[in-house]
Amino acid sequence: MSVIAINNRPIAPIYLEDLKVGDITETKAFTVTRDMIISFAKQYDPQPMHLDEDAAHDTIFGELVGSGWQTLAVTMRMLVDARLLGSTPLVGAELKDIRFHAPMRPGDILRASAEIMDIRPSNSRPDRGLMDLRVTTKNSEGMTLVTQSWSLVVPCR
């Protein structure tokens, strides 16, 4: 297993043959602000715990928290910025096993990691294969916020 340092992936494309099970990509930090949470909620998840501190006090969270969907979107952004596949676009085939462990809060500093769990050539398309990842997003206290499994389509040489 090797850990790929933050944003140290080459800008060149990465192919299925370049990858190894056990490799881990770690992202740079991303700071979440109150305004980001409220803005996202207004557009995509307008619920009291995401929109207003006072209204959030009456929810199970007791405070303003980010939408789980926003946590997933931030995770995607961090992995794109980390150049998970170099200049090869991240093309999803499947997303599963999403589990929200803890809410994202204003001021949280997030980081994500993606570990390659499996690599397999396509049975029907010889020009590509699939890579399975276990993606974990944590805050700066080391608390896991969300875990998920991704299958990405990756070109072959």
Side-chain angles (χ1 to χ4, degrees), residues 37-39 41 45-52 56 61 64-68:
I37 288 173
I38 293 171
S39 177
D45 193 355
Q47 299 188 73
M49 64 277 205
H50 308 316
L51 291 169
D52 177 83
F61 299 103
L64 185 76
V65 297
S67 167

Side-chain angles (χ1 to χ4, degrees), residues 35-46 67-71 73:
D35 291 343
M36 284 177 191
I37 288 173
I38 293 171
S39 177
F40 184 93
K42 283 180 180 176
Q43 190 164 8
Y44 300 107
D45 193 355
S67 167
W69 297 111
Q70 184 177 19
T71 308

Side-chain angles (χ1 to χ4, degrees), residues 9 17 27 31 39 42 44 69 72 87 90 92 107 121 138 142:
R9 292 277 191 182
E17 297 85 355
T27 71
T31 302
S39 177
K42 283 180 180 176
Y44 300 107
W69 297 111
L72 295 173
S87 63
L90 301 183
K138 295 182 178 187

Side-chain angles (χ1 to χ4, degrees), residues 29-96:
F30 183 97
T31 302
V32 179
T33 68
R34 174 189 173 278
D35 291 343
M36 284 177 191
I37 288 173
I38 293 171
S39 177
F40 184 93
K42 283 180 180 176
Q43 190 164 8
Y44 300 107
D45 193 355
Q47 299 188 73
M49 64 277 205
H50 308 316
L51 291 169
D52 177 83
E53 285 92 348
D54 292 332
H57 287 294
D58 296 328
T59 71
I60 63 170
F61 299 103
E63 65 181 323
L64 185 76
V65 297
S67 167
W69 297 111
Q70 184 177 19
T71 308
L72 295 173
V74 169
T75 300
M76 176 68 182
R77 176 60 193 252
M78 290 188 294
L79 286 168
V80 168
D81 287 349
R83 297 192 304 261
L84 180 66
L85 292 176
S87 63
T88 301
L90 301 183
V91 177
E94 184 176 32
L95 175 62
K96 63 183 180 180

